[in-house]
Amino acid sequence: MITISQRPLPIDYEERVYAGWLGKCIGVRFGAPLEGWTYQEIRDNLGELDDYLPLPPGKVFKPDDDTAFPMILVRALQDYGPAVSAEQLGETMLNYLGDQRGTLWWGGYGVSTEHTAYLNLAADIPAPLSGSIALNGAALAEQIGGQIFSDIWGLVVPDNPELAAGYAARAASISHDGNAVYGGRFIAGLVSAAFSQVDPQHLIEIGLGLIPADSEYSRVVRAVLDFHAGQPDDWHAAYRFINDNFGYDRYPGVVHIIPNTGVVIMALLYGQGDFSRTIQIANMGGWDTDCNVGNVGAITGVAVGLQGISPKWREPMNDELVTASLIGTRNLLDIPACADLFCALGRQIAGESARPGRPRYHFSYPGSTQGFHQCSGSRGKIISLRQIGTRESNPRARTADGPFDQPEGALQLTVRKLNKKSEVRFFVKTSLRPDELSANYYGASFSPKIYPGQQLRARLFLPPDAPEQLQASLFAWDDNHSETHQSKGHPLQPGRWHDLRFQIPALHNACLSEVGVLLRNLGQPWSGSLSLGSLDWDGSPSFSNDFGLERPEYDAISQWTFLRGFWRLDEGGYHGSGVGVNETYTGDIQWQDYSLSVRLTPLKGDHHNINVRVSGALRSYAAGLAPDGKVVLYRNDRGYRQVSGAAFPWQHGCSTLLTLAARDNGLIVSVDGQEKIFWTDDDQPYRCGQIGLSNFAGCRTCYEFVEIS
């Protein structure tokens, strides 16, 4: 049983969490291209690496399991609370992973530890039995995964290594056991302790106190500590010692935890608390480089803080993070948004009050850009986008209507010679096409983060020395039609903050892949700056889609993710079939009250459904055509259960308009405009979620048209 601590959080908690997760993401990107190489292969082919290998021009760094799976595991705290159990963490894995696709390496049962655990969980073998040595054997259970996903528990539990280790052990136990669980405890404990302890050797001793002294994990840690004590200036000699005494040839399985632990300890000791040096040594050590460099990046990032992480590591990241969960809107993230989530959970665990909500993009973390990009033209150029502190830069700024509570930070746009009647844009990506990723072997797919019908909001500041000739508009880019939707130009007054709003219209067949600010000059050529204090959106979606402009993407179609089944464009519609419960989704998991209407044609089989309030594979409502001439309503709670039904004589090959409306805890099912079912869920109703389409084994359904309002 986890005992929740009431220890106060550090004063600089938020910034250190951001530095730790940033360090993790930097380490993963630095190490990923070398994964599986040995030290000698790296040295012979690339020399002593001290910087990233370049990405293909214009590409976003690929998803990686080292960051993608932690962003799933941490959702268990959101869903179940601070006292989350191993069994609930296993349910979280089932809920947010595609069925044997995305996020992880699916190497086969008995080969991939996580794949094995997933199939065990899906077969109703609960955690921790699902990952145990007793069930799976030591060779499989003691692979590296128990360690590489555990940094997050130290971030949500600062200065409490014992509690962080307890969370890590529960999370690791869903798929691992033995030394792999000890590795999870060790890494989480070091991240937690790094909030108040900088010295790597002291951190390692703290970690050793969290695991059995007679374990193989302790043995490799102690061995590297002893070697370092005798030869503290030669990490190359330490690597040879690890390779000779704890190398891959001595341990079974694909990627055993013990050799890689030796590299982690080596990097921490010989890096001497220097972030760059530590991640460089870990990377040159080879083997599972993204895992090892990610772990030491998280530990050292927390210890040294943002001031200890060089801009050369930060700037190429641009705060962007791609993951690969079942929820498409959560697969295009920014690192500050992850830090916000960790900090909110950390406050909950510590028993502290939640801080007031922040906009999605708030630029409060020093140096953060939150994934913003810029687009210049031939008649004006953006020369920099950088984070600034607004209170220091604009101490007396006001809105056009009076005093204004300024943002904590801002993104400053600097423009050189914007000519008359010219414009520049700065924006964030809200969806990605496959050709925008550097690679995608972990299977990310995306649903847009913003949809037609929602309201876009921003706060802008124009410095006092600027001329009164500039206008700003908010815009959304529809990638399906290559078309911009934008608000009316808002005149900017020098020395003032401005609140801009834009109600994106209801649209048909749109795919909104960018939102941002368009700056236009109506007067003489101008050079200067503009500050964005925040960007956010909310409201109900309003859109329709007949799939006419969608395209095959990510093994399904653009804008839709899927759990399982064979989903494809065919004969003018979106077709689904398969051997199990086949589901596909789009939309935001935070949507609440809405009405979903879908025109569908049942082609084979007797179960053809539409879904609302989808919050993963295990939780949703569905309405569908069912056997014996019925329309039925289901509640999916780790399995579909019929809760209501009505007669409706449907036929194969005949098109039907099916509508499912969710209002508070009431659900209304209509067929061809006629209400058939009204049902109230009075037992822990689902309050929000995506939209979806589904059918059951042996069915094929053609979905022709979707509308949400």
Side-chain angles (χ1 to χ4, degrees):
M1 182 69 180
I2 287 180
T3 302
I4 306 304
S5 171
Q6 300 297 312
R7 297 182 186 182
L9 297 174
I11 295 174
D12 58 351
Y13 177 53
E14 291 188 349
E15 187 173 318
R16 300 283 286 284
V17 168
Y18 172 51
W21 189 242
L22 178 64
K24 170 79 169 183
C25 296
I26 287 170
V28 170
R29 174 167 170 179
F30 185 35
L34 309 178
E35 185 174 11
W37 287 27
T38 65
Y39 165 80
Q40 197 63 45
E41 288 170 330
I42 298 170
R43 184 68 179 267
D44 291 348
N45 288 280
L46 299 169
E48 293 276 349
L49 278 180
D50 61 0
D51 205 346
Y52 299 117
L53 292 178
L55 297 180
K59 302 295 186 180
V60 177
F61 180 64
K62 67 175 185 67
D64 192 283
D65 61 335
D66 292 70
T67 46
F69 194 45
M71 292 308 303
I72 288 176
L73 289 173
V74 80
R75 300 290 178 179
L77 289 173
Q78 273 190 317
D79 293 346
Y80 299 104
V84 63
S85 67
E87 187 170 353
Q88 290 167 332
L89 281 153
E91 292 292 286
T92 302
M93 184 180 188
L94 287 180
N95 193 48
Y96 294 123
L97 285 180
D99 184 4
Q100 304 174 79
R101 60 177 307 277
T103 305
L104 299 169
W105 173 58
W106 302 97
Y109 193 89
V111 180
S112 161
T113 311
E114 290 81 12
H115 194 166
T116 303
Y118 179 91
L119 291 174
N120 287 340
L121 291 164
D124 293 324
I125 299 170
L129 180 59
S130 56
S132 65
I133 289 175
L135 183 64
N136 302 324
L140 189 67
E142 294 190 324
Q143 299 300 298
I144 197 172
Q147 178 166 288
I148 66 179
F149 308 128
S150 294
D151 323 79
I152 51 171
W153 308 113
L155 296 177
V156 299
V157 187
D159 287 331
N160 193 339
E162 295 84 1
L163 181 57
Y167 277 119
R170 290 183 176 222
S173 73
I174 68 178
S175 51
H176 292 76
D177 201 352
N179 285 294
V181 171
Y182 304 153
R185 293 182 60 87
F186 184 87
I187 292 296
L190 264 64
V191 173
S192 179
F195 280 88
S196 57
Q197 177 56 243
V198 177
D199 179 62
Q201 188 157 338
H202 192 185
L203 286 171
I204 291 166
E205 294 291 348
I206 291 172
L208 283 169
L210 301 170
I211 61 175
D214 60 351
S215 64
E216 184 70 358
Y217 199 98
S218 285
R219 188 172 82 87
V220 68
V221 173
R222 289 289 183 197
V224 180
L225 276 169
D226 292 344
F227 187 91
H228 174 261
Q231 297 192 48
D233 300 318
D234 188 355
W235 74 260
H236 295 86
Y239 168 75
R240 290 191 292 272
F241 169 78
I242 295 166
N243 185 61
D244 291 345
N245 294 277
F246 299 96
Y248 269 23
D249 59 316
R250 294 172 177 264
Y251 299 93
V254 180
V255 185
H256 202 277
I257 194 170
I258 297 300
N260 291 287
T261 298
V263 171
V264 168
I265 303 305
M266 175 186 74
L268 290 171
L269 291 171
Y270 289 90
Q272 299 179 326
D274 179 272
F275 181 84
S276 294
R277 183 67 174 153
T278 300
I279 65 173
Q280 287 163 2
I281 292 173
N283 211 17
M284 288 302 300
W287 292 329
D288 205 345
T289 45
D290 55 339
C291 302
N292 300 335
V293 189
N295 281 150
V296 302
I299 296 163
T300 312
V302 171
V304 303
L306 292 175
Q307 68 276 8
I309 303 176
S310 169
K312 86 168 191 176
W313 301 113
R314 296 188 65 180
E315 289 173 2
M317 296 291 295
N318 194 31
D319 275 334
E320 292 176 305
L321 177 64
V322 175
T323 65
S325 77
L326 191 59
I327 311 299
T329 54
R330 289 179 173 175
N331 289 342
L332 180 54
L333 298 170
D334 62 89
I335 295 172
C338 299
D340 287 346
L341 173 62
F342 300 151
C343 291
L345 296 171
R347 288 190 191 90
Q348 184 182 10
I349 293 169
E352 294 192 4
S353 300
R355 65 162 293 146
R358 281 171 163 164
R360 281 178 172 83
Y361 303 94
H362 53 79
F363 315 108
S364 303
Y365 298 101
S368 65
T369 56
Q370 292 198 246
F372 265 74
H373 297 263
Q374 58 92 3
C375 180
S376 301
S378 60
R379 295 166 59 84
K381 184 177 182 181
I382 297 174
I383 58 174
S384 76
L385 286 172
R386 68 184 186 93
Q387 190 267 359
I388 61 170
T390 60
R391 296 188 186 280
E392 293 76 14
S393 303
N394 311 304
R396 293 180 294 278
R398 298 163 64 88
T399 63
D401 299 319
F404 179 71
D405 184 16
Q406 295 182 55
E408 299 169 74
L411 185 70
Q412 185 181 75
L413 168 86
T414 302
V415 181
R416 183 174 64 193
K417 199 175 182 180
L418 183 61
N419 289 326
K420 185 176 182 179
K421 296 183 179 179
S422 297
E423 62 187 42
V424 291
R425 302 181 181 203
F426 57 110
F427 59 89
V428 287
K429 298 290 296 184
T430 52
S431 190
L432 291 174
R433 300 289 189 184
D435 61 3
E436 295 180 274
L437 292 172
S438 63
N440 197 25
Y441 43 81
Y442 283 108
S445 55
F446 303 91
S447 299
K449 298 167 71 172
I450 187 170
Y451 284 79
Q454 297 191 286
Q455 186 180 77
L456 188 61
R457 306 187 309 278
R459 287 178 169 176
L460 296 170
F461 177 76
L462 187 65
D465 58 353
E468 295 185 1
Q469 61 190 43
L470 301 172
Q471 288 189 349
S473 299
L474 302 183
F475 77 89
W477 172 257
D478 175 4
D479 195 58
N480 272 351
H481 295 88
S482 298
E483 183 177 3
T484 297
H485 300 274
Q486 68 184 64
S487 63
K488 181 181 177 181
H490 184 100
L492 300 179
Q493 298 181 35
R496 297 185 182 274
W497 284 98
H498 303 78
D499 283 332
L500 276 64
R501 298 178 183 272
F502 174 42
Q503 185 77 41
I504 303 173
L507 297 171
H508 182 61
N509 277 359
C511 177
L512 302 183
S513 62
E514 298 173 4
V515 295
V517 178
L518 185 155
L519 178 66
R520 182 178 294 108
N521 182 18
L522 301 182
Q524 296 302 310
W526 168 78
S527 298
S529 65
L530 176 75
S531 296
L532 174 66
S534 65
L535 180 75
D536 204 352
W537 56 84
D538 59 15
S540 300
S542 181
F543 66 90
S544 56
N545 192 328
D546 61 11
F547 303 110
L549 288 180
E550 300 310 318
R551 63 191 78 172
E553 283 185 358
Y554 306 114
D555 297 323
I557 67 167
S558 49
Q559 307 197 64
W560 292 75
T561 64
F562 72 100
L563 170 65
R564 72 173 65 84
F566 177 30
W567 294 92
R568 69 277 190 192
L569 293 175
D570 191 7
E571 298 176 349
Y574 187 26
H575 287 236
S577 58
V579 298
V581 176
N582 312 298
E583 300 183 4
T584 183
Y585 320 114
T586 194
D588 196 313
I589 202 168
Q590 297 301 322
W591 289 352
Q592 296 179 348
D593 291 353
Y594 55 84
S595 177
L596 172 66
S597 294
V598 179
R599 183 166 294 281
L600 61 86
T601 300
L603 299 176
K604 294 291 182 183
D606 294 329
H607 299 274
H608 310 271
N609 311 318
I610 66 174
N611 296 60
V612 300
R613 291 185 175 169
V614 179
S615 55
L618 306 184
R619 295 187 287 270
S620 65
Y621 299 109
L625 307 179
D628 302 322
K630 292 181 180 178
V631 59
V632 301
L633 179 67
Y634 303 96
R635 175 182 162 112
N636 176 19
D637 183 3
R638 211 181 187 280
Y640 282 80
R641 174 176 62 90
Q642 181 179 329
V643 295
S644 187
F648 175 69
W650 61 274
Q651 294 181 347
H652 288 99
C654 293
S655 179
T656 299
L657 182 66
L658 195 59
T659 300
L660 178 53
R663 298 284 184 273
D664 193 25
N665 65 335
L667 294 123
I668 303 170
V669 182
S670 301
V671 182
D672 294 331
Q674 300 295 314
E675 183 177 320
K676 295 291 185 179
I677 299 170
F678 175 79
W679 180 73
T680 301
D681 190 350
D682 295 319
D683 182 17
Q684 297 181 314
Y686 306 136
R687 297 291 185 180
C688 57
Q690 302 174 278
I691 62 172
L693 312 171
S694 65
N695 61 27
F696 301 157
C699 295
R700 179 177 178 180
T701 315
C702 173
Y703 296 95
E704 303 158 15
F705 176 87
V706 173
E707 182 176 20
I708 184 170
S709 59

